[in-house]
Amino acid sequence: MGAQTASTLFDDRVLHTLQIAIHSRDWDQLRSTYLENDHYPADLTWNGIRVTNVGVRSRGRTTRSGVKPGLEIDFAHYGTGGQFLGLQALVLDNMLLDKSMIRERVAMAFLRRFGVPAPRESFATLFINGQYAGLYAMVEEVDSGFAQRALGDANGALFEYRWLRPYYGEYLGDDLDLYRPLFEPRAREYDSVFNLYDPIRELFRAINDTPAASFRDAVGLRLDLAAMLRLVAADVLLAEADGIVSFAGMNNFYLHRHSTTQRHQFLPWDKDFALFQWNYQITDGTSQHALIRRALEDPELRSLYAGFLIEAVESATDAGWLEQEVQRAYEQIREAVLADPVKPYTNEEFEAEVAMVIDLARRRPAFVLSEVQRLFGGR
Amino acid sequence: MNSTNRAWNVVCAVAFIVTLAVPAGVLAQTTSEEQTVSEEQTASEEQTTSKGTSTQDGKAGVFRMGNSPSLRWGNQVRIDLHARVQADVSLQEESDAASDRLGWGNRRIGVDGVLFKRVEFQIEREFSDVEPWRDVFADVRMHRALRVRAGHFKVPFSMERTTSDFDLDFIARAASVTDISPGRETGIMLHGRGPRRFFEYELGVFRLAEPPLKPLVESGTDGAMLTAARFTFTPGTASIGIAFTGSRLPESLHGLSGHFDDDGLLSSEGFYVNGRRRRLGVEGRWTAGRLSIKGELLRQADSREGESVSNSDLSDLIVDGGYVSGAWRIVGSPRRSRRSVDVAARFERLGFHSTSQFDAPSLGSRADHIAPLRQDAWTFGGTWLVNRWVKVQVNAIRESFVDETGIRPEIPQARWRSLMRLQFSM
């Protein structure tokens, strides 16, 4: 056996096998209280490597289930310094809302291919105490380890965005407590409220209150605008309806603040609503979104964005990458999905959904390109 | 009271009545010295905390005032009344308001005595809502080597645990003693001694008022039994002893909470146990003139049957520790004295770990190798026996925690504490 690394774990060319040994009562308890975040001890085995005393908990927001629970494996829950292949945690996504079960994995692969810092993912068949418990996506946790790998900065602040109501990036006011519920710290949790949230407040103040002429410079001090536009362009190509620019405000992202530059960067999360409609309008949600709307009012940023959109189309169509990736993912998981005893949809629904995604992969890039040319007139 | 409780009480009562019905001829075989039951109390000073005055005057209805008020009816009945109170004061400057630095220790009243030269008894009540009835038992003497005690009293385990709170060298018992030793339970015990107390034994069976730990699943069959045995040998001025207990342990979560976590820092650590709880204690004491040295090693092993992540057995969860202490009498007779000043020092240790060290150490509740944690403490103290009733004690205690694995995110800092106790005992 060669050296095992996190890259091996997230090698999406392989359908992995995960074994979890968990006390039968704990597993029953986890499933019956799947809305709670209680951790249970377990042993995890992958590729012949057994990791003892990991913490397992139910996870997810709209995807929580007592039948096929989404799981988080926390390697450090029962002792500081706990890790596996350099990872502090591993997410097992139950893909409950995606009948094709390939959207999340393919979308994240495209984001990384397109140069967006995105979690690594691969598929795994999961066995609980020797019993097949279904197909899962193994997702790299967005934490300080991820920030170090993807951004070269493990010491920055990191927030998980919490969708509470449609929020389009407007300035909420001076009170820092207005921002705290929306941005939940995932690193530097013990910093003061002021240190954590004052930069976020000032970011949204700058987004909304800066005159147009100085928008790019003022906001650019606090936010990596190019990285943001690249992510939005990728989401557009992926017909992502539930990302930073979604049908109901901002959603599904982490916000990282670099420890030295103090600039923020959006990081994508949860792509199970991507690839959902081939002709999803590329401007949907942008007019309401304070950040996108104002950024696209700046000619230089608008041109940059248009370029990113075209680049995304080229990346998706290069050697038919998107269509081939969807097809490859489908073929990789088909048998495992058909055998999945706890998926909340039928095999027929799975096949029909995959067919729809394959159709989208064929038609979406051309649609986006035509829309870009119509709206932006080329670069 | 459930049926189990009733059945157990009936068993105790019947056994006790049988012992009372032993023919007097058995007693006639003993010597007069042996019939002076009260003298034997010193063999178990922790369980009979007061020494009455002689009952040999033969006069009825006499009230006497010795160490405590005493009523006599000839030499057939002796009843001593007791009242005892302790007040503790924290001497730390950083402590909060004065009211927070003051606290009551034990506040007890009770009676004990001897009936018809055969039956000792003791009834003691604490002014507290928590376990208000302390010792409530009768002790029948059939022979020097065979006595029967029934009621509610201390399980015979640990020299220091079975020493009265009012007779300790320090304000508090060693943490390992408090933590590992069982307390008072309802049961029946055979005990006795050989000539010159060279050999003493205690064999008891008790019904636990509550399971040792809160069961994960209430079975409705509480009242687990505990068996205990203790043997003590006293060759000359030294004494050594060994003690065991065993009891069933329901499936439950056994955490550091209640062991170390005065500050609640470690209460999140819990480990599943199931099966049996076994305790082992070794004790020793040596006295030479004004110097006395004693120590104990104690160990509690909880089995973890079927508690691994794969439902197999885990290695035993161990709580162990001990202490060694020395005391020097500066003022007063080396033996019993109504006025004395002692200085003493004690080193103690309390540890928490598992027998397995195969896997990487972990804080997981089903870890085979539990990351060890221990608490070390030094106590330095002085005891001033002002007169037969009043005692003053001052202790300075240095506690530190050791997490050799370093995997706990936070452990309490080492700290000094200082306490003073005022005690009145009659």
Side-chain angles (χ1 to χ4, degrees), chain B residues 36-238:
Chain B
T36 308
V37 178
S38 61
E39 291 181 4
E40 293 195 358
Q41 289 175 321
T42 53
S44 182
E45 64 181 349
E46 61 279 14
Q47 292 169 2
T48 53
T49 54
S50 173
K51 311 300 175 291
T53 53
S54 170
T55 62
Q56 294 177 353
D57 59 3
K59 295 178 181 177
V62 175
F63 173 81
R64 292 190 174 187
M65 185 64 201
N67 284 344
S68 59
S70 183
L71 299 175
R72 315 294 177 90
W73 282 271
N75 58 5
Q76 297 299 309
V77 174
R78 193 204 79 213
I79 300 175
D80 296 334
L81 307 177
H82 299 285
R84 297 188 279 192
V85 62
Q86 294 170 327
D88 296 337
V89 183
S90 170
L91 301 178
Q92 288 166 283
E93 293 180 359
E94 66 269 28
S95 295
D96 297 327
S99 59
D100 294 335
R101 297 167 57 185
L102 299 173
W104 291 109
N106 296 295
R107 290 176 293 169
R108 297 181 191 171
I109 57 170
V111 296
D112 64 27
V114 184
L115 305 176
F116 313 114
K117 301 182 181 178
R118 294 183 60 193
V119 181
E120 290 181 29
F121 68 93
Q122 183 168 345
I123 302 172
E124 192 172 54
R125 184 178 172 87
E126 178 87 25
F127 289 96
S128 167
D129 294 333
V130 180
E131 197 185 355
W133 291 106
R134 312 298 285 188
D135 287 325
V136 182
F137 66 83
D139 196 307
V140 179
R141 181 176 185 281
M142 302 168 68
H143 184 271
R144 176 181 64 196
L146 179 59
R147 298 169 61 159
V148 180
R149 176 176 297 185
H152 186 252
F153 55 95
K154 286 179 179 174
V155 174
F157 185 88
S158 168
M159 174 171 57
E160 187 164 276
R161 185 69 180 89
T162 51
T163 298
S164 167
D165 289 330
F166 296 85
D167 296 327
L168 298 172
D169 292 335
F170 301 92
I171 292 175
R173 294 184 176 90
S176 55
V177 172
T178 305
D179 200 89
I180 296 172
S181 306
R184 290 176 174 83
E185 301 290 353
T186 302
I188 189 164
M189 180 174 80
L190 304 180
H191 63 120
R193 61 179 174 82
R196 298 185 178 182
R197 297 197 181 96
F198 173 77
F199 168 74
E200 295 180 56
Y201 73 92
E202 295 157 289
L203 303 171
V205 56
F206 300 82
R207 187 187 61 76
L208 302 178
E210 295 177 345
L213 297 166
K214 180 176 172 53
L216 293 182
V217 179
E218 296 289 349
S219 64
T221 57
D222 60 348
M225 305 302 290
L226 178 145
T227 54
R230 184 182 180 207
F231 306 95
T232 310
F233 303 88
T234 309
T237 58

Side-chain angles (χ1 to χ4, degrees), chain A residues 20-26 39-44 50 52-54 76-82 129, chain B residues 216-217 251 272 306-311 359-369 406-409:
Chain A
I20 289 180
I22 183 170
H23 196 278
S24 52
R25 192 185 55 243
D26 291 350
H39 285 82
Y40 298 88
D43 290 355
L44 176 75
R50 186 180 182 91
T52 59
N53 299 303
V54 302
H77 184 73
Y78 293 117
T80 56
N129 297 330
Chain B
L216 293 182
V217 179
E251 187 174 25
Y272 289 104
E307 294 300 332
S308 81
V309 293
S310 54
N311 293 54
D359 289 337
S362 171
L363 305 179
S365 51
R366 301 189 187 280
D368 197 37
H369 181 189
I407 68 171
R408 287 176 174 81

